[in-house]
Amino acid sequence: MSDETDSLSRGIDKQYLASPIKNPVDKYQLIPEFLKVRGLVKQHLDSFNYFVKTEINKIVRANNEIRSTRDPSIYLRYRDVRIGEPSMIYDGVTEKLSPQKCRLSSLTYAAPIYVTVDYTSTMRGKKQESTEKDVVIGRMPIMLRSCSCVLYGKDEEQLAKLGECPLDPGGYFVVNGTEKAMGMESDQEVVQMLGRDPRFSALLLPSIEECANLKVYTQHQALEFLESDKMLNVFSYFSGPVEKGARALSILRDILLANVPVHQHNFRKKCIYVAVMMRRMMEAILNKDTMDDKDYVGNKRLELSGQILSLLFEDLFKTMNAESKREFDASPSARYILYCIKKYNRITSELGRTLSTGNWDVKRFGMHKKGVTDVVARLSYIGTLGNMTKIKPQFEKSRKVSGPRALQPSQFGMLCPCDTPEGEACGLVKNLALMTHVTTDEDERPIISLCYYLGVEDLELLSAEELHVPSSYLIVLNGLMLGKHKSLQRFANAMRKLRRAGKIGEFVSIFVNKKQRCVYIASDGGRVCRPLVIADKGVSRIKELHMKELRDGVCDFNSFLKDGLIEYLDVNEENSLIALYEKEATPETTHIEIEPFTILGVCASLIPYPHHNQSPRNTYQCAMGSGQNATVAVMSYSGYDIEDAIVMNKSSLDRGFGRCIVMKKYTAICQKYDSCTSDRIIKPQRQGYEADRMQILDDDEIAAPGEIIRRHDIYINKESPIVTRWIPGTSPTVLPDTAYKPSRQTYQGTEGELAVVDRVALHSDENNNLSIKFMIRDTRRPEIGDKFSSRHGQKGVCGTIVQ
Amino acid sequence: MDGVSYQRFPRIKIREVKHDYMKFELRDTDSSIANALRRIMIAEVPTIAIDLVEIEVNSSVLNDEFISHRLGLIPLTSERAMSMRFSRDCDACDGDGQCEYCSVEFYLRVKCLSDQTLDVTSKDLLSSDHTVVPVDYSDGLDNATNKGIIIVKLRRGQELRLRAIARKGIGKDHAKWSPAATVTFMYEPEIYINEDMMESLTLEEKQELVDSSPTKVFAIDPENKQVIVVDPEAYTYDDEVLKKAEAMGKPGLVEIHAKEDSFIFTVETTGAVKASQLVLNAIEVLKQKLDAVRLSDDTVEADDQFGELGAHMRGG
Amino acid sequence: MNAPDRYERFVVPEGVKKVSYERDTKIMNAATFTVEREDHTIGNIVRMQLHRDDTVLFAGYKLPHPLQYKILLRIQTTSQSSPMQAYNQAINDLDKELDHLKNQFEGELAKYTRDY
């Protein structure tokens, strides 16, 4: 008997193992795993980490020297920039900061930027090089949960100790006590820039004729022509060499197509680039199909907080250096300059100010953006997450255009098709889908050398004729032409294999464009990409055993990536053949979706059965990502439900349905004045006509937690001196009572609500004044007129409450 | 006045009685009485519930209002409620809880001293009146497994100390005073099967008809293969069987009517009062309410004068 | 915030009559009773009881507004009776019916507890 069952079960097992995995539910497990590793705000954190670890170094290294013009042997040089631990200096003592402390005390959660400075010092008339370590040049606001944050890598218990919610995703800043999220900026449009066709010569003829008419035959003549008033008056501000023709040449070298490097006046690469551009333009004239679609998501780059912040920092750093240099020219003492740098606080203040206002005005880079930061919406957890995945366009939204607003097919899986606001920003403001990742910059040097190793022929070595041989393919890395390769497929496959093996970054995209006879390799930041299951001839690489390992916790999402079961594809590379379900895969299929619902964003994926809804309902629902969820029975009753109104049942409200707690913050500051006087808090009157209003005051003259506070109640019994100006010649004395006037603060809540003093916090603010914060709590139950909604964009107000 | 009476003589048949559950039939009256009884049982039979809380110490995670709300919802045994006074009508006290006629005092003093989470439950409420205590839901369970209704959980060092005053009230005021968990009544269905028509059906068709009802109302007699009504009260007035008969081209195969004067009541209480007592209290409350809406003498007088005046005017 | 107090729905304010009576000025033997702080519970049983009365030509009630805690009961009778008479009769009959119901229930309950 036991033998029989044994063999039987084994038989079933074998069958089970041998059968193709068809159940789409199985792969669902990957999504929580993905979110565990990456989270929904990982793109912000990655971007900020990149800025802190790499970008800031680059910026400092690029502007590392201040040299006196008067005495060029005196200089000051930065090296080794790093961000310290979040802290603030308080009465000359450095105090460590935690985000919660900043929120409570209206501080900026920032960390010092340390640099090591080498400078020339003069010792007894002799110049020598000195080094000073850990010079603070400013304070950088720190993104919560980034690598510089105190919360980084902390477990739940440690987070609780720091007063943080373990579920909070981070990815925002705390500036002057308010949480500011940065969001993503989109639409930095990148149109991929890149023979002899008889049709082209016809198009070129007019240009050549014009050259002849203008008597431009030689290179020199051409440069002179460019410099003539007709052409270059636009660049008149340009301060460079003044020789004839040299200015035009330097513009050609430094400004025209600045992305193509010029080594030792070798313009060949640039020439080819221009040629390829012209060719593409002419192709576009002849054949409209070859035109790039500017709304195509593959042509767009997202700008994340790290990048935006780095621009600001670069500008501030350069400004600081320029100002220091001016000082330097006045007094050539490096030590004094160092002192100036230490005293310089514009970096700190500007970073804080810009983050809190959200107005990015960086003249150096011609950047004028408004509303870059938002106050983090804390109406609900989902609302907060939804806020973090928002993508805002760069250009004006008042434009009456439909193109950029339309749903782009290339948006599939990357940007949520539902989540967009109604009204003027409709279709322009977007949200990331669940599994979308936004790339950060990656070093291209290893990729370049790999490409050459894989048989890419350098452009320098090719003749113009060879460039357009139909049998070879152009290899383009981040818009830079590397060279040509004979076998397109072999090269692409080799590159992909390297990526899957982890030899190059997982977010590098290899995109074959057969029409343009190009292979585009992209490793730049800001591309959106998402993970997909790799399929070999239509068979998924993920087998049941992998999923079992995942369920057992033996491996995680990253090991799937490492094992080459899954890879990230960006929008361009996504033009491979992707099957939605495994059962739909054909031998040509290269990839299989992980789960269909990952095309939705955070808010939209919480809608139950969204595919049964009318499409705009899902959009409306996404705009209401807040509140408590309830299971309800619905029926029509009494006529107080017309026009989307809701009839509610009183008993359920009595039992606690829809109850919510509203917290409000009130602040009182004990101001110190120039006259060496300050506000004072005085004992409450226990008798007299005002005693009634001072009931809630404790013996410490401040409202006590737990007290019920009514309208017009005094929550702090404060007095201010009448004369606050400093009168010369007077010395600080104790003022008599008559020199004070009452400046008590009264509660201005609405009549009839039951508000309670929840917490009272005392701390010093940045000006060292005593600041008292009152959290007032008010429990509210649903009333007629309150707004409610289902999870399907069906909102309405409560019309009546029925007994 | 002239002895004409339109009074009815309703009959009652009790089917099942448990402590907090009962089922009975009410016949020979109309739905208005049945519905009035149901409504009164839910909203107007008085019970006792915590209505005022004075918090001394609360270092738990829930705020004062939250705990007060939860305390209010704990059912208290309320046999005394009918004879108690409403606090607003009580002239023997000033509403501070020290009144035997209108209020009952409770104390709760709990502090967690161990590392294990401490559940503060309704069992920790100490009553000043042994007839008014939190309802015991142990139902034969031993004390270790049954801990009462959880009010809040405390971790080490947290404390809850409060005084609460329970008062008499009705469900109309706040649902915490409602003694009813569910009170429902249904019309007794009268199901008629047209035997002649049924004869013309095949066994499969009969089975289909039986299966069309979402609840088990009909069955096929295993002996004579006839469709029989096994449980008329399982019928939910869903019309599915009638629709099926229509779809089979046999309208009138089954006819179902609701008896207009016959009701089946199901009463379930929170345990504050016994289910049977709830019904009796409801009748009593309804009587009191009717008494309250009798015309007062001054109204009658005023009308008599008006009537005379009117008659005078009409006559004149 | 502006919601009426909870007790408003069942405590008759001072100086307000529980039942007020207003005779119809145009129709003979017709009147409207305003019953303060009552709802469908009373309204419906009184109305149904009135319908049993042969002298009542019309009896109806309404709850004018969910936030006005009162009902309006309108009665028109034949000349053999008057609205007030019919109203009193209905309440008396209901009272007797409830007395009967109570006795029935207590009897049945005693029988049930004895049997089981």
Side-chain angles (χ1 to χ4, degrees), chain B residues 197-265:
Chain B
M197 264 185 178
M198 199 58 90
E199 281 304 297
S200 63
L201 295 185
T202 63
L203 189 60
E204 284 87 74
E205 283 176 315
K206 283 179 184 169
Q207 190 60 50
E208 259 181 64
L209 187 79
V210 167
D211 293 342
S212 69
S213 173
T215 48
K216 209 173 148 30
V217 179
F218 303 95
I220 292 175
D221 195 319
E223 281 170 24
N224 56 14
K225 307 294 175 204
Q226 292 269 314
V227 175
I228 49 165
V229 179
V230 284
D231 185 7
E233 278 159 37
Y235 186 61
T236 56
Y237 294 96
D238 48 47
D239 281 2
E240 290 296 327
V241 187
L242 305 182
K243 279 180 202 154
K244 183 74 192 174
E246 197 116 338
M248 287 167 132
K250 301 258 184 327
L253 175 66
V254 181
E255 277 179 54
I256 305 174
H257 301 287
K259 279 195 190 170
E260 296 281 315
D261 63 347
S262 194
F263 312 94
I264 298 150
F265 265 85

Side-chain angles (χ1 to χ4, degrees), chain A residues 34-225:
Chain A
F34 173 82
L35 295 178
K36 220 182 277 169
V37 211
R38 300 225 58 92
L40 287 160
V41 297
K42 190 75 173 176
Q43 56 273 14
H44 289 290
L45 299 176
D46 279 354
S47 154
F48 187 80
N49 288 349
Y50 181 78
F51 166 59
V52 164
K53 281 183 183 154
T54 320
E55 193 73 29
I56 197 165
N57 266 308
K58 277 189 195 163
I59 293 168
V60 172
R61 213 178 304 137
N63 313 284
N64 70 339
E65 202 177 72
I66 310 172
R67 210 173 266 274
S68 169
T69 334
R70 226 194 294 167
D71 184 354
S73 65
I74 301 175
Y75 65 90
L76 186 142
R77 195 181 290 135
Y78 306 105
R79 61 186 166 93
D80 295 342
V81 61
R82 66 180 179 89
I83 305 273
E85 261 186 64
S87 63
M88 68 172 295
I89 294 172
Y90 184 75
D91 276 350
V93 184
T94 309
E95 209 178 309
K96 278 185 189 169
L97 287 176
S98 75
Q100 183 62 12
K101 188 175 175 184
C102 294
R103 274 180 225 141
L104 290 176
S105 321
S106 307
L107 298 170
T108 301
Y109 185 60
I113 310 164
Y114 292 118
V115 286
T116 305
V117 182
D118 296 334
Y119 63 99
T120 338
S121 59
T122 329
M123 281 282 276
R124 294 187 207 93
K126 258 172 77 184
K127 282 171 194 156
Q128 63 180 73
E129 189 171 279
S130 304
T131 304
E132 187 163 335
K133 276 190 175 166
D134 290 351
V135 176
V136 179
I137 57 168
R139 281 169 193 278
M140 172 68 63
I142 297 296
M143 182 181 277
L144 272 78
R145 305 268 170 134
S146 71
C147 63
S148 301
C149 176
V150 289
L151 309 176
Y152 186 68
K154 291 273 196 299
D155 64 23
E156 212 167 291
E157 204 165 307
Q158 291 168 308
L159 287 174
K161 224 164 244 167
L162 287 165
E164 281 301 308
C165 171
L167 298 174
D168 185 76
Y172 55 88
F173 301 89
V174 178
V175 182
N176 298 327
T178 37
E179 299 170 327
K180 293 274 183 182
M182 231 148 132
M184 282 162 268
E185 297 275 317
S186 87
D187 297 17
Q188 204 187 49
E189 272 146 42
V190 177
V191 178
Q192 296 275 1
M193 285 168 289
L194 275 204
R196 236 175 322 177
D197 194 313
R199 293 176 300 166
F200 292 161
S201 47
L203 284 168
L204 280 173
L205 202 62
S207 303
I208 296 164
E209 270 175 12
E210 197 188 354
C211 285
N213 289 343
L214 290 164
K215 297 191 172 57
V216 178
Y217 300 106
T218 66
Q219 189 189 18
H220 194 74
Q221 280 172 331
L223 289 172
E224 267 179 31
F225 169 73

Side-chain angles (χ1 to χ4, degrees), chain A residues 650-656 659 661 706 754 756 758 777-779 781 803, chain B residues 39 42-43 63-66 69 73 171-176 178 180-181:
Chain A
K650 181 173 163 285
S651 298
S652 61
L653 304 186
D654 284 348
R655 291 181 176 119
R659 240 166 239 227
I661 298 166
L754 185 99
V756 182
D758 191 73
R777 140 168 61 91
D778 170 26
T779 305
R781 61 178 273 165
Q803 167 66 50
Chain B
R39 285 173 65 93
I42 292 170
N63 61 46
D64 301 357
E65 303 96 285
F66 207 127
H69 178 234
L73 290 171
K172 214 177 199 182
D173 189 348
H174 192 283
K176 69 184 174 188
S178 177

Side-chain angles (χ1 to χ4, degrees), chain A residues 210-248:
Chain A
E210 197 188 354
C211 285
N213 289 343
L214 290 164
K215 297 191 172 57
V216 178
Y217 300 106
T218 66
Q219 189 189 18
H220 194 74
Q221 280 172 331
L223 289 172
E224 267 179 31
F225 169 73
L226 284 176
E227 234 167 68
S228 65
D229 292 346
K230 250 187 270 174
M231 299 301 289
L232 270 183
N233 51 1
V234 217
F235 298 109
S236 51
Y237 68 91
F238 185 78
S239 61
V242 280
E243 299 157 50
K244 255 194 172 181
R247 256 168 71 181

